[in-house]
Amino acid sequence: GENVEQHPSTLSVQEGDSAVIKCTYSDSASNYFPWYKQELGKRPQLIIDIRSNVGEKKDQRIAVTLNKTAKHFSLHITETQPEDSAVYFCAASTGDTNAGKSTFGDGTTLTVKP
Amino acid sequence: IAGITQAPTSQILAAGRRMTLRCTQDMRHNAMYWYRQDLGLGLRLIHYSNTAGTTGKGEVPDGYSVSRANTDDFPLTLASAVPSQTSVYFCASSDDGSGADTQYFGPGTRLTVL
C-alpha cells in the first residue's frame, strides 16, 4: 500500500519568514495530493491540493509543488503569520474507486513566533 | 446546513463496554471515512465507505466495525473497548469515493477507555 513520509515533524519560524514542509510517497499511481491544516482542538481542513497533471499550484501565500519523478511534494508558506501556527498534514491518493482512500503523513507542527 | 456532525463530543468508557460513535452528513456525499488521531501519529484510517451499502477496511480496522445503511449516516462501533482505543476519532466525507477529492471532517469525538 501507499506510504507517506512527512518532514519535519516540528518547524519553528519567525513571523514573516517562509516555511517549507516536504512529503514523499511510495505509490507511483498516486495522483491527488491534498494538504490539510489543523488548528489546536479543531478539525483538519483542506488548504490546498494538487493533481498529478500539474507541477505547481499557488493560492495567495500558500503554494504546493509536485515532483512525480522523485515522488515528493512540498507545501510552501510565505510571509508567515502567527495564525499560520497549526499542524499540517499531507496526503496522497491513487484516485482508485476500489481503494477509496487517502494515506496521510504524520503531520508537521508549525509554530510562527511573533 | 450543518455539514458533518459527530456525537458524542467526548466520552469516558470502561474497558469491555460497547460503544457507538455517530456521524451524520447532510451534503449528500457518497464517501465517508473514520480516522483515529493519536499524538504524533497523524490520521489513521479505520474504515471507509465509497457509497451507501458498501464498506471497506482501512489501515487499523481491528476492534472496530461500521455500517452504511444510507447516504447520511456512518456509525462506528467498538464491540468491546480496550485502553489502546483511547484516541480522538474523526469522521469525514467526500463527494466521490475515489479518494481524489476534498475530505470534510467532523468536529471529532474524544474517547477515553479506562
Side-chain angles (χ1 to χ4, degrees):
Chain A
E2 175 71 279
N3 182 48
V4 176
E5 294 190 357
Q6 184 172 345
H7 300 281
S9 57
T10 60
L11 179 60
S12 181
V13 300
Q14 288 294 134
E15 182 177 1
D17 287 350
S18 295
V20 181
I21 303 169
K22 298 180 180 180
C23 287
T24 61
Y25 61 98
S26 60
D27 191 342
S28 57
S30 289
N31 58 12
Y32 176 64
F33 308 93
W35 285 89
Y36 290 83
K37 175 183 179 182
Q38 185 179 27
E39 297 176 354
L40 189 63
K42 301 282 184 65
R43 72 190 79 187
Q45 291 189 296
L46 181 80
I47 55 170
I48 196 167
D49 58 11
I50 193 167
R51 299 184 186 272
S52 60
N53 58 344
V54 176
E56 182 175 359
K57 185 176 178 181
K58 193 172 182 179
D59 183 3
Q60 299 181 354
R61 297 185 298 108
I62 294 173
V64 57
T65 59
L66 171 64
N67 184 327
K68 285 218 74 179
T69 302
K71 289 190 281 189
H72 69 71
F73 56 110
S74 300
L75 177 71
H76 304 254
I77 306 174
T78 58
E79 301 172 24
T80 54
Q81 302 166 3
E83 51 265 38
D84 294 329
S85 295
V87 179
Y88 292 82
F89 293 98
C90 64
S93 171
T94 62
D96 178 356
T97 301
N98 290 327
K101 57 188 179 182
S102 293
T103 300
F104 284 79
D106 287 341
T108 296
T109 301
L110 173 65
T111 302
V112 180
K113 299 178 182 177
Chain B
I1 297 176
I4 182 165
T5 59
Q6 293 182 234
T9 302
S10 65
Q11 182 74 45
I12 298 174
L13 189 66
R17 297 295 296 270
R18 180 183 180 90
M19 176 74 191
T20 295
L21 308 185
R22 299 185 298 279
C23 176
T24 301
Q25 53 102 0
D26 63 4
M27 298 176 282
R28 308 304 294 171
H29 283 172
N30 286 303
M32 297 186 76
Y33 313 84
W34 273 106
Y35 295 91
R36 60 177 290 172
Q37 185 174 37
D38 303 302
L39 193 63
L41 290 178
L43 293 158
R44 293 186 291 170
L45 183 67
I46 304 171
H47 285 286
Y48 65 94
S49 169
N50 287 341
T51 189
T54 69
T55 63
K57 294 182 179 180
E59 182 185 355
V60 288
D62 294 344
Y64 306 94
S65 63
V66 292
S67 61
R68 185 88 184 278
N70 57 60
T71 297
D72 299 344
D73 301 300
F74 191 43
L76 176 73
T77 297
L78 289 67
S80 179
V82 296
S84 61
Q85 292 178 310
T86 293
S87 188
V88 179
Y89 291 85
F90 285 100
C91 179
S93 70
S94 64
D95 196 16
D96 70 54
S98 71
D101 197 8
T102 303
Q103 292 190 31
Y104 296 86
F105 286 83
T109 293
R110 184 174 295 275
L111 181 67
T112 303
V113 183
L114 301 176

PDB file of all heavy atoms in Angstrom, chain B residues 46-83:
ATOM      1  N   ILE B  46      -9.562   3.978   9.708  1.00  0.00           N
ATOM      2  CA  ILE B  46     -10.093   2.779  10.353  1.00  0.00           C
ATOM      3  C   ILE B  46     -10.955   1.994   9.366  1.00  0.00           C
ATOM      4  O   ILE B  46     -10.700   0.828   9.074  1.00  0.00           O
ATOM      5  CB  ILE B  46     -10.926   3.159  11.597  1.00  0.00           C
ATOM      6  CG1 ILE B  46     -10.105   4.002  12.569  1.00  0.00           C
ATOM      7  CG2 ILE B  46     -11.428   1.888  12.297  1.00  0.00           C
ATOM      8  CD1 ILE B  46     -10.931   4.597  13.709  1.00  0.00           C
ATOM      9  N   HIS B  47     -12.003   2.634   8.888  1.00  0.00           N
ATOM     10  CA  HIS B  47     -12.890   2.054   7.879  1.00  0.00           C
ATOM     11  C   HIS B  47     -13.366   3.165   6.954  1.00  0.00           C
ATOM     12  O   HIS B  47     -13.324   4.338   7.313  1.00  0.00           O
ATOM     13  CB  HIS B  47     -14.118   1.401   8.529  1.00  0.00           C
ATOM     14  CG  HIS B  47     -13.866   0.098   9.196  1.00  0.00           C
ATOM     15  ND1 HIS B  47     -13.650  -1.079   8.508  1.00  0.00           N
ATOM     16  CD2 HIS B  47     -13.812  -0.213  10.517  1.00  0.00           C
ATOM     17  CE1 HIS B  47     -13.466  -2.059   9.382  1.00  0.00           C
ATOM     18  NE2 HIS B  47     -13.552  -1.558  10.603  1.00  0.00           N
ATOM     19  N   TYR B  48     -13.830   2.775   5.779  1.00  0.00           N
ATOM     20  CA  TYR B  48     -14.365   3.751   4.859  1.00  0.00           C
ATOM     21  C   TYR B  48     -15.557   3.143   4.120  1.00  0.00           C
ATOM     22  O   TYR B  48     -15.784   1.928   4.151  1.00  0.00           O
ATOM     23  CB  TYR B  48     -13.299   4.225   3.854  1.00  0.00           C
ATOM     24  CG  TYR B  48     -12.813   3.145   2.912  1.00  0.00           C
ATOM     25  CD1 TYR B  48     -13.393   2.969   1.660  1.00  0.00           C
ATOM     26  CD2 TYR B  48     -11.775   2.304   3.284  1.00  0.00           C
ATOM     27  CE1 TYR B  48     -12.955   1.980   0.803  1.00  0.00           C
ATOM     28  CE2 TYR B  48     -11.325   1.304   2.432  1.00  0.00           C
ATOM     29  CZ  TYR B  48     -11.916   1.150   1.195  1.00  0.00           C
ATOM     30  OH  TYR B  48     -11.479   0.163   0.348  1.00  0.00           O
ATOM     31  N   SER B  49     -16.297   4.031   3.448  1.00  0.00           N
ATOM     32  CA  SER B  49     -17.434   3.593   2.643  1.00  0.00           C
ATOM     33  C   SER B  49     -17.478   4.457   1.392  1.00  0.00           C
ATOM     34  O   SER B  49     -17.582   5.677   1.487  1.00  0.00           O
ATOM     35  CB  SER B  49     -18.735   3.743   3.437  1.00  0.00           C
ATOM     36  OG  SER B  49     -19.858   3.571   2.596  1.00  0.00           O
ATOM     37  N   ASN B  50     -17.383   3.849   0.250  1.00  0.00           N
ATOM     38  CA  ASN B  50     -17.399   4.604  -1.006  1.00  0.00           C
ATOM     39  C   ASN B  50     -18.803   5.059  -1.376  1.00  0.00           C
ATOM     40  O   ASN B  50     -18.978   6.076  -2.056  1.00  0.00           O
ATOM     41  CB  ASN B  50     -16.830   3.766  -2.150  1.00  0.00           C
ATOM     42  CG  ASN B  50     -15.332   3.603  -2.059  1.00  0.00           C
ATOM     43  OD1 ASN B  50     -14.660   4.367  -1.377  1.00  0.00           O
ATOM     44  ND2 ASN B  50     -14.799   2.601  -2.724  1.00  0.00           N
ATOM     45  N   THR B  51     -19.789   4.284  -0.943  1.00  0.00           N
ATOM     46  CA  THR B  51     -21.174   4.625  -1.242  1.00  0.00           C
ATOM     47  C   THR B  51     -22.071   3.849  -0.286  1.00  0.00           C
ATOM     48  O   THR B  51     -21.623   2.867   0.315  1.00  0.00           O
ATOM     49  CB  THR B  51     -21.507   4.294  -2.710  1.00  0.00           C
ATOM     50  OG1 THR B  51     -22.798   4.820  -3.039  1.00  0.00           O
ATOM     51  CG2 THR B  51     -21.487   2.810  -2.955  1.00  0.00           C
ATOM     52  N   ALA B  52     -23.300   4.290  -0.152  1.00  0.00           N
ATOM     53  CA  ALA B  52     -24.224   3.610   0.756  1.00  0.00           C
ATOM     54  C   ALA B  52     -24.316   2.137   0.402  1.00  0.00           C
ATOM     55  O   ALA B  52     -24.409   1.762  -0.771  1.00  0.00           O
ATOM     56  CB  ALA B  52     -25.599   4.258   0.687  1.00  0.00           C
ATOM     57  N   GLY B  53     -24.252   1.295   1.451  1.00  0.00           N
ATOM     58  CA  GLY B  53     -24.352  -0.143   1.267  1.00  0.00           C
ATOM     59  C   GLY B  53     -23.023  -0.851   1.140  1.00  0.00           C
ATOM     60  O   GLY B  53     -22.970  -2.089   1.146  1.00  0.00           O
ATOM     61  N   THR B  54     -21.923  -0.101   1.036  1.00  0.00           N
ATOM     62  CA  THR B  54     -20.593  -0.719   0.925  1.00  0.00           C
ATOM     63  C   THR B  54     -19.656  -0.150   1.979  1.00  0.00           C
ATOM     64  O   THR B  54     -19.756   1.026   2.346  1.00  0.00           O
ATOM     65  CB  THR B  54     -19.961  -0.472  -0.454  1.00  0.00           C
ATOM     66  OG1 THR B  54     -19.636   0.923  -0.585  1.00  0.00           O
ATOM     67  CG2 THR B  54     -20.904  -0.861  -1.565  1.00  0.00           C
ATOM     68  N   THR B  55     -18.769  -0.989   2.490  1.00  0.00           N
ATOM     69  CA  THR B  55     -17.741  -0.548   3.432  1.00  0.00           C
ATOM     70  C   THR B  55     -16.438  -1.250   3.112  1.00  0.00           C
ATOM     71  O   THR B  55     -16.431  -2.291   2.443  1.00  0.00           O
ATOM     72  CB  THR B  55     -18.124  -0.844   4.889  1.00  0.00           C
ATOM     73  OG1 THR B  55     -18.246  -2.253   5.065  1.00  0.00           O
ATOM     74  CG2 THR B  55     -19.420  -0.159   5.281  1.00  0.00           C
ATOM     75  N   GLY B  56     -15.348  -0.671   3.603  1.00  0.00           N
ATOM     76  CA  GLY B  56     -14.040  -1.269   3.398  1.00  0.00           C
ATOM     77  C   GLY B  56     -13.145  -1.031   4.591  1.00  0.00           C
ATOM     78  O   GLY B  56     -13.382  -0.117   5.386  1.00  0.00           O
ATOM     79  N   LYS B  57     -12.131  -1.869   4.740  1.00  0.00           N
ATOM     80  CA  LYS B  57     -11.199  -1.746   5.855  1.00  0.00           C
ATOM     81  C   LYS B  57     -10.077  -0.784   5.505  1.00  0.00           C
ATOM     82  O   LYS B  57      -9.542  -0.808   4.398  1.00  0.00           O
ATOM     83  CB  LYS B  57     -10.618  -3.120   6.206  1.00  0.00           C
ATOM     84  CG  LYS B  57     -11.638  -4.092   6.759  1.00  0.00           C
ATOM     85  CD  LYS B  57     -10.989  -5.415   7.139  1.00  0.00           C
ATOM     86  CE  LYS B  57     -12.019  -6.373   7.705  1.00  0.00           C
ATOM     87  NZ  LYS B  57     -11.405  -7.674   8.093  1.00  0.00           N
ATOM     88  N   GLY B  58      -9.709   0.006   6.497  1.00  0.00           N
ATOM     89  CA  GLY B  58      -8.590   0.909   6.335  1.00  0.00           C
ATOM     90  C   GLY B  58      -7.318   0.320   6.902  1.00  0.00           C
ATOM     91  O   GLY B  58      -7.120  -0.894   6.919  1.00  0.00           O
ATOM     92  N   GLU B  59      -6.486   1.192   7.445  1.00  0.00           N
ATOM     93  CA  GLU B  59      -5.175   0.805   7.951  1.00  0.00           C
ATOM     94  C   GLU B  59      -5.247   0.092   9.295  1.00  0.00           C
ATOM     95  O   GLU B  59      -4.464  -0.812   9.577  1.00  0.00           O
ATOM     96  CB  GLU B  59      -4.326   2.074   8.072  1.00  0.00           C
ATOM     97  CG  GLU B  59      -2.904   1.879   8.546  1.00  0.00           C
ATOM     98  CD  GLU B  59      -2.195   3.212   8.739  1.00  0.00           C
ATOM     99  OE1 GLU B  59      -2.784   4.261   8.417  1.00  0.00           O
ATOM    100  OE2 GLU B  59      -1.051   3.190   9.234  1.00  0.00           O
ATOM    101  N   VAL B  60      -6.192   0.509  10.162  1.00  0.00           N
ATOM    102  CA  VAL B  60      -6.273  -0.019  11.527  1.00  0.00           C
ATOM    103  C   VAL B  60      -7.704  -0.438  11.869  1.00  0.00           C
ATOM    104  O   VAL B  60      -8.338   0.135  12.752  1.00  0.00           O
ATOM    105  CB  VAL B  60      -5.736   1.010  12.555  1.00  0.00           C
ATOM    106  CG1 VAL B  60      -4.233   1.125  12.459  1.00  0.00           C
ATOM    107  CG2 VAL B  60      -6.405   2.364  12.369  1.00  0.00           C
ATOM    108  N   PRO B  61      -8.269  -1.468  11.218  1.00  0.00           N
ATOM    109  CA  PRO B  61      -9.676  -1.811  11.399  1.00  0.00           C
ATOM    110  C   PRO B  61     -10.003  -2.701  12.602  1.00  0.00           C
ATOM    111  O   PRO B  61     -11.170  -2.790  13.012  1.00  0.00           O
ATOM    112  CB  PRO B  61      -9.989  -2.568  10.109  1.00  0.00           C
ATOM    113  CG  PRO B  61      -8.692  -3.244   9.773  1.00  0.00           C
ATOM    114  CD  PRO B  61      -7.623  -2.276  10.179  1.00  0.00           C
ATOM    115  N   ASP B  62      -8.977  -3.352  13.176  1.00  0.00           N
ATOM    116  CA  ASP B  62      -9.244  -4.349  14.212  1.00  0.00           C
ATOM    117  C   ASP B  62      -9.887  -3.730  15.447  1.00  0.00           C
ATOM    118  O   ASP B  62      -9.413  -2.733  15.985  1.00  0.00           O
ATOM    119  CB  ASP B  62      -7.952  -5.069  14.598  1.00  0.00           C
ATOM    120  CG  ASP B  62      -7.409  -5.907  13.458  1.00  0.00           C
ATOM    121  OD1 ASP B  62      -8.169  -6.175  12.506  1.00  0.00           O
ATOM    122  OD2 ASP B  62      -6.227  -6.288  13.511  1.00  0.00           O
ATOM    123  N   GLY B  63     -10.982  -4.359  15.901  1.00  0.00           N
ATOM    124  CA  GLY B  63     -11.692  -3.881  17.084  1.00  0.00           C
ATOM    125  C   GLY B  63     -12.806  -2.908  16.776  1.00  0.00           C
ATOM    126  O   GLY B  63     -13.509  -2.460  17.688  1.00  0.00           O
ATOM    127  N   TYR B  64     -12.971  -2.575  15.488  1.00  0.00           N
ATOM    128  CA  TYR B  64     -13.977  -1.614  15.059  1.00  0.00           C
ATOM    129  C   TYR B  64     -14.852  -2.220  13.959  1.00  0.00           C
ATOM    130  O   TYR B  64     -14.383  -3.031  13.168  1.00  0.00           O
ATOM    131  CB  TYR B  64     -13.341  -0.348  14.491  1.00  0.00           C
ATOM    132  CG  TYR B  64     -12.350   0.341  15.369  1.00  0.00           C
ATOM    133  CD1 TYR B  64     -10.987   0.074  15.248  1.00  0.00           C
ATOM    134  CD2 TYR B  64     -12.759   1.293  16.298  1.00  0.00           C
ATOM    135  CE1 TYR B  64     -10.059   0.725  16.040  1.00  0.00           C
ATOM    136  CE2 TYR B  64     -11.834   1.954  17.098  1.00  0.00           C
ATOM    137  CZ  TYR B  64     -10.484   1.670  16.956  1.00  0.00           C
ATOM    138  OH  TYR B  64      -9.566   2.307  17.738  1.00  0.00           O
ATOM    139  N   SER B  65     -16.106  -1.788  13.920  1.00  0.00           N
ATOM    140  CA  SER B  65     -16.981  -2.159  12.816  1.00  0.00           C
ATOM    141  C   SER B  65     -17.799  -0.941  12.409  1.00  0.00           C
ATOM    142  O   SER B  65     -18.002  -0.016  13.208  1.00  0.00           O
ATOM    143  CB  SER B  65     -17.904  -3.318  13.196  1.00  0.00           C
ATOM    144  OG  SER B  65     -18.778  -2.936  14.246  1.00  0.00           O
ATOM    145  N   VAL B  66     -18.247  -0.953  11.157  1.00  0.00           N
ATOM    146  CA  VAL B  66     -19.047   0.152  10.640  1.00  0.00           C
ATOM    147  C   VAL B  66     -20.200  -0.406   9.818  1.00  0.00           C
ATOM    148  O   VAL B  66     -20.203  -1.576   9.421  1.00  0.00           O
ATOM    149  CB  VAL B  66     -18.222   1.103   9.733  1.00  0.00           C
ATOM    150  CG1 VAL B  66     -17.184   1.871  10.535  1.00  0.00           C
ATOM    151  CG2 VAL B  66     -17.566   0.330   8.588  1.00  0.00           C
ATOM    152  N   SER B  67     -21.164   0.463   9.569  1.00  0.00           N
ATOM    153  CA  SER B  67     -22.263   0.132   8.666  1.00  0.00           C
ATOM    154  C   SER B  67     -22.630   1.390   7.890  1.00  0.00           C
ATOM    155  O   SER B  67     -22.370   2.511   8.353  1.00  0.00           O
ATOM    156  CB  SER B  67     -23.468  -0.393   9.444  1.00  0.00           C
ATOM    157  OG  SER B  67     -23.949   0.600  10.347  1.00  0.00           O
ATOM    158  N   ARG B  68     -23.191   1.208   6.713  1.00  0.00           N
ATOM    159  CA  ARG B  68     -23.600   2.365   5.914  1.00  0.00           C
ATOM    160  C   ARG B  68     -24.959   2.030   5.279  1.00  0.00           C
ATOM    161  O   ARG B  68     -25.062   1.673   4.112  1.00  0.00           O
ATOM    162  CB  ARG B  68     -22.547   2.645   4.836  1.00  0.00           C
ATOM    163  CG  ARG B  68     -22.826   3.906   4.045  1.00  0.00           C
ATOM    164  CD  ARG B  68     -22.234   5.129   4.665  1.00  0.00           C
ATOM    165  NE  ARG B  68     -22.579   6.351   3.968  1.00  0.00           N
ATOM    166  CZ  ARG B  68     -21.947   6.803   2.864  1.00  0.00           C
ATOM    167  NH1 ARG B  68     -20.948   6.097   2.345  1.00  0.00           N
ATOM    168  NH2 ARG B  68     -22.325   7.924   2.306  1.00  0.00           N
ATOM    169  N   ALA B  69     -25.988   2.151   6.099  1.00  0.00           N
ATOM    170  CA  ALA B  69     -27.336   1.796   5.671  1.00  0.00           C
ATOM    171  C   ALA B  69     -27.933   2.843   4.736  1.00  0.00           C
ATOM    172  O   ALA B  69     -28.818   2.541   3.930  1.00  0.00           O
ATOM    173  CB  ALA B  69     -28.246   1.605   6.878  1.00  0.00           C
ATOM    174  N   ASN B  70     -27.460   4.095   4.848  1.00  0.00           N
ATOM    175  CA  ASN B  70     -27.960   5.165   3.997  1.00  0.00           C
ATOM    176  C   ASN B  70     -26.822   6.148   3.711  1.00  0.00           C
ATOM    177  O   ASN B  70     -25.712   5.997   4.234  1.00  0.00           O
ATOM    178  CB  ASN B  70     -29.149   5.870   4.654  1.00  0.00           C
ATOM    179  CG  ASN B  70     -28.802   6.421   6.020  1.00  0.00           C
ATOM    180  OD1 ASN B  70     -27.919   7.259   6.163  1.00  0.00           O
ATOM    181  ND2 ASN B  70     -29.490   5.939   7.056  1.00  0.00           N
ATOM    182  N   THR B  71     -27.100   7.141   2.900  1.00  0.00           N
ATOM    183  CA  THR B  71     -26.057   8.081   2.490  1.00  0.00           C
ATOM    184  C   THR B  71     -25.556   8.933   3.643  1.00  0.00           C
ATOM    185  O   THR B  71     -24.375   9.265   3.717  1.00  0.00           O
ATOM    186  CB  THR B  71     -26.600   9.000   1.369  1.00  0.00           C
ATOM    187  OG1 THR B  71     -26.928   8.198   0.240  1.00  0.00           O
ATOM    188  CG2 THR B  71     -25.572  10.042   0.960  1.00  0.00           C
ATOM    189  N   ASP B  72     -26.428   9.296   4.561  1.00  0.00           N
ATOM    190  CA  ASP B  72     -26.116  10.311   5.554  1.00  0.00           C
ATOM    191  C   ASP B  72     -25.352   9.815   6.779  1.00  0.00           C
ATOM    192  O   ASP B  72     -24.616  10.570   7.397  1.00  0.00           O
ATOM    193  CB  ASP B  72     -27.406  10.983   6.045  1.00  0.00           C
ATOM    194  CG  ASP B  72     -28.158  11.683   4.925  1.00  0.00           C
ATOM    195  OD1 ASP B  72     -27.561  11.910   3.853  1.00  0.00           O
ATOM    196  OD2 ASP B  72     -29.356  11.994   5.123  1.00  0.00           O
ATOM    197  N   ASP B  73     -25.558   8.560   7.166  1.00  0.00           N
ATOM    198  CA  ASP B  73     -25.061   8.098   8.461  1.00  0.00           C
ATOM    199  C   ASP B  73     -23.974   7.038   8.322  1.00  0.00           C
ATOM    200  O   ASP B  73     -24.077   6.139   7.476  1.00  0.00           O
ATOM    201  CB  ASP B  73     -26.210   7.525   9.293  1.00  0.00           C
ATOM    202  CG  ASP B  73     -27.308   8.560   9.530  1.00  0.00           C
ATOM    203  OD1 ASP B  73     -26.987   9.593  10.129  1.00  0.00           O
ATOM    204  OD2 ASP B  73     -28.450   8.301   9.109  1.00  0.00           O
ATOM    205  N   PHE B  74     -22.971   7.124   9.196  1.00  0.00           N
ATOM    206  CA  PHE B  74     -21.858   6.175   9.132  1.00  0.00           C
ATOM    207  C   PHE B  74     -21.363   5.928  10.564  1.00  0.00           C
ATOM    208  O   PHE B  74     -20.344   6.453  10.982  1.00  0.00           O
ATOM    209  CB  PHE B  74     -20.742   6.746   8.255  1.00  0.00           C
ATOM    210  CG  PHE B  74     -19.656   5.775   7.890  1.00  0.00           C
ATOM    211  CD1 PHE B  74     -19.956   4.475   7.504  1.00  0.00           C
ATOM    212  CD2 PHE B  74     -18.327   6.173   7.895  1.00  0.00           C
ATOM    213  CE1 PHE B  74     -18.945   3.586   7.145  1.00  0.00           C
ATOM    214  CE2 PHE B  74     -17.307   5.290   7.537  1.00  0.00           C
ATOM    215  CZ  PHE B  74     -17.626   4.001   7.161  1.00  0.00           C
ATOM    216  N   PRO B  75     -22.067   5.109  11.338  1.00  0.00           N
ATOM    217  CA  PRO B  75     -21.674   4.869  12.730  1.00  0.00           C
ATOM    218  C   PRO B  75     -20.474   3.943  12.840  1.00  0.00           C
ATOM    219  O   PRO B  75     -20.312   3.014  12.033  1.00  0.00           O
ATOM    220  CB  PRO B  75     -22.935   4.237  13.335  1.00  0.00           C
ATOM    221  CG  PRO B  75     -23.628   3.607  12.176  1.00  0.00           C
ATOM    222  CD  PRO B  75     -23.338   4.467  10.985  1.00  0.00           C
ATOM    223  N   LEU B  76     -19.674   4.194  13.853  1.00  0.00           N
ATOM    224  CA  LEU B  76     -18.504   3.371  14.162  1.00  0.00           C
ATOM    225  C   LEU B  76     -18.736   2.705  15.515  1.00  0.00           C
ATOM    226  O   LEU B  76     -19.014   3.388  16.491  1.00  0.00           O
ATOM    227  CB  LEU B  76     -17.243   4.243  14.233  1.00  0.00           C
ATOM    228  CG  LEU B  76     -15.945   3.556  14.642  1.00  0.00           C
ATOM    229  CD1 LEU B  76     -15.427   2.679  13.500  1.00  0.00           C
ATOM    230  CD2 LEU B  76     -14.886   4.575  15.047  1.00  0.00           C
ATOM    231  N   THR B  77     -18.607   1.377  15.557  1.00  0.00           N
ATOM    232  CA  THR B  77     -18.866   0.640  16.791  1.00  0.00           C
ATOM    233  C   THR B  77     -17.603  -0.035  17.308  1.00  0.00           C
ATOM    234  O   THR B  77     -16.881  -0.670  16.541  1.00  0.00           O
ATOM    235  CB  THR B  77     -19.967  -0.419  16.574  1.00  0.00           C
ATOM    236  OG1 THR B  77     -21.183   0.243  16.231  1.00  0.00           O
ATOM    237  CG2 THR B  77     -20.186  -1.233  17.843  1.00  0.00           C
ATOM    238  N   LEU B  78     -17.359   0.145  18.610  1.00  0.00           N
ATOM    239  CA  LEU B  78     -16.328  -0.587  19.314  1.00  0.00           C
ATOM    240  C   LEU B  78     -17.059  -1.680  20.089  1.00  0.00           C
ATOM    241  O   LEU B  78     -17.799  -1.392  21.029  1.00  0.00           O
ATOM    242  CB  LEU B  78     -15.569   0.318  20.270  1.00  0.00           C
ATOM    243  CG  LEU B  78     -14.625   1.377  19.693  1.00  0.00           C
ATOM    244  CD1 LEU B  78     -15.376   2.461  18.926  1.00  0.00           C
ATOM    245  CD2 LEU B  78     -13.784   1.991  20.791  1.00  0.00           C
ATOM    246  N   ALA B  79     -16.878  -2.930  19.706  1.00  0.00           N
ATOM    247  CA  ALA B  79     -17.651  -4.013  20.311  1.00  0.00           C
ATOM    248  C   ALA B  79     -17.285  -4.235  21.769  1.00  0.00           C
ATOM    249  O   ALA B  79     -18.153  -4.464  22.616  1.00  0.00           O
ATOM    250  CB  ALA B  79     -17.453  -5.295  19.513  1.00  0.00           C
ATOM    251  N   SER B  80     -16.007  -4.149  22.085  1.00  0.00           N
ATOM    252  CA  SER B  80     -15.521  -4.350  23.448  1.00  0.00           C
ATOM    253  C   SER B  80     -14.288  -3.461  23.610  1.00  0.00           C
ATOM    254  O   SER B  80     -13.190  -3.857  23.234  1.00  0.00           O
ATOM    255  CB  SER B  80     -15.182  -5.818  23.689  1.00  0.00           C
ATOM    256  OG  SER B  80     -14.696  -6.014  24.999  1.00  0.00           O
ATOM    257  N   ALA B  81     -14.491  -2.276  24.134  1.00  0.00           N
ATOM    258  CA  ALA B  81     -13.439  -1.263  24.149  1.00  0.00           C
ATOM    259  C   ALA B  81     -12.223  -1.685  24.979  1.00  0.00           C
ATOM    260  O   ALA B  81     -12.361  -2.349  26.027  1.00  0.00           O
ATOM    261  CB  ALA B  81     -13.992   0.056  24.679  1.00  0.00           C
ATOM    262  N   VAL B  82     -11.045  -1.291  24.493  1.00  0.00           N
ATOM    263  CA  VAL B  82      -9.788  -1.523  25.209  1.00  0.00           C
ATOM    264  C   VAL B  82      -9.055  -0.194  25.356  1.00  0.00           C
ATOM    265  O   VAL B  82      -9.273   0.721  24.560  1.00  0.00           O
ATOM    266  CB  VAL B  82      -8.905  -2.554  24.477  1.00  0.00           C
ATOM    267  CG1 VAL B  82      -9.570  -3.919  24.444  1.00  0.00           C
ATOM    268  CG2 VAL B  82      -8.591  -2.090  23.067  1.00  0.00           C
ATOM    269  N   PRO B  83      -8.175  -0.077  26.358  1.00  0.00           N
ATOM    270  CA  PRO B  83      -7.486   1.203  26.590  1.00  0.00           C
ATOM    271  C   PRO B  83      -6.726   1.733  25.375  1.00  0.00           C
ATOM    272  O   PRO B  83      -6.626   2.959  25.204  1.00  0.00           O
ATOM    273  CB  PRO B  83      -6.551   0.879  27.757  1.00  0.00           C
ATOM    274  CG  PRO B  83      -7.287  -0.172  28.526  1.00  0.00           C
ATOM    275  CD  PRO B  83      -7.938  -1.029  27.473  1.00  0.00           C
TER     276      PRO B  83
END
